[in-house]
Amino acid sequence: MVIRMRRVLIAYLAAFALVLGACGIDASELPEPPPSAPTDALPAVAQSSTAPLQLPSLPAAHYRKLRVFVASENTEQVWVLEGAPGASFAVVGKIQVGKLPHQMAVSPDGKWVAVNNRLSASTSIIDPVTMKESIRLKVGNAPHGITFSPDSQTLFVAHERDTYIARFEVGTWKPLPAIVVGLPQHVLTIGSQRPTQLLFTVTNSSENDHLRSYDLATGQITKFKVQDVHDAYYTPDQSEIWSSSSGFIGKPSDRMVIYDPDTRAVKEEIHLGPGRYPFHTEKEDQDGMYFLPDRSIMLLSDHTGPSLLWVDYKARKIVGETKGLGPQPFHTTYDPEGARLLLTTNIDGMVNVIDVNTRLVVQKVGVPTAHGIVAVGIP
């Protein structure tokens, strides 16, 4: 029995290491993706209307308590934290999902939470009010990037080992025509000011042009002329796109590339300095319903610090740093009523609660191998 359990554990750890993708291994170590997606499961992409989307306004930042959902990778659960304004956060529930829950997203209207189960080829949809898994969607191999559309009507799922981006109708969870892009993807980004532009990175590919956009209105794919891209995100005012580099834990990079979101041209390349390794920021339609009121500041998790960087993106400089974090800080969400940020650190298994005014860590809540995080206001 002990030997068999050890074998199971070894097999699990081997699989875990293999799919770490841009978070831990080189693209050369990944197997080749299938030449094309199954045609019966993935019909050709239909062009959507070119009419502008009517976007709902964000929910008012007034709630009785903030409910925070955290992907706990090695427990196969999403842990739920709650905190009232001015009160500490505490674990109030655990939701069983698939194997290796990783990247998360929350719909802009706050009605749904989604998490990709990286080793289960599935995406779990969670009702944030009942704190239950509503449905488990079948997706492609190694789902990673995930985002809702700005109008909360569509869910997109990217794959590290498949050549298409899946999409689903929110609420009915009916599969919609897949977006066949021809190579594996890593992360997704979409912004409310350009709701038909779906950005995706191709970190796990040997092809050039590692940042691309798919036009949801025309079906056209545009390649940004840039290499070595991990994540890509809009600045808070959505005037620029920034991308971090490397994405491999053992290969730190302080390089950031800045683009014009309309022309898709590189504007500038900057370096944040020795000992910096910027990773992720809080994204619309993914990491939370609420955002810092100071829109001049962009938050970047820094793997080398390890810390959270407060960046004046227009001045291209770091203006603050939150230290006292454990190794490998990843994703951040915001609590407007409490003026707090919540940031996951993966190795020590913590959700770090950060006071926005002092920029200091004021609480730590243990969540094993914490990675993705989203927050929903509960009235």
Side-chain angles (χ1 to χ4, degrees), residues 139 146 171 174 199 253:
V139 296
I146 187 169
K174 173 186 175 181
L199 302 175
S253 172

Side-chain angles (χ1 to χ4, degrees), residues 59-60 62-67 110 128-129 289-290 375-379:
H62 298 293
Y63 43 80
R64 181 169 51 90
K65 54 190 174 183
L66 190 74
R67 189 165 285 169
V129 175
M289 296 170 62
Y290 312 114
V376 177
I378 303 298

Side-chain angles (χ1 to χ4, degrees), residues 118-194:
R118 209 170 177 190
L119 288 181
S120 297
S122 66
T123 300
S124 293
I125 305 300
I126 295 169
D127 183 326
V129 175
T130 64
M131 297 192 299
K132 294 181 179 180
E133 184 185 57
S134 297
I135 189 171
R136 192 172 299 183
L137 305 173
K138 180 176 175 55
V139 296
N141 294 312
H144 188 274
I146 187 169
T147 189
F148 284 90
S149 60
D151 62 2
S152 298
Q153 297 301 303
T154 308
L155 175 68
F156 301 91
V157 176
H159 305 93
E160 290 182 307
R161 288 212 205 153
D162 257 318
T163 58
Y164 68 97
I165 299 171
R167 53 181 170 181
F168 298 87
E169 182 179 73
V170 173
T172 67
W173 306 112
K174 173 186 175 181
L176 299 172
I179 301 170
V180 180
V181 296
L183 73 176
Q185 324 90 47
H186 188 60
V187 298
L188 299 175
T189 301
I190 194 167
S192 58
Q193 292 186 20
R194 296 169 184 84

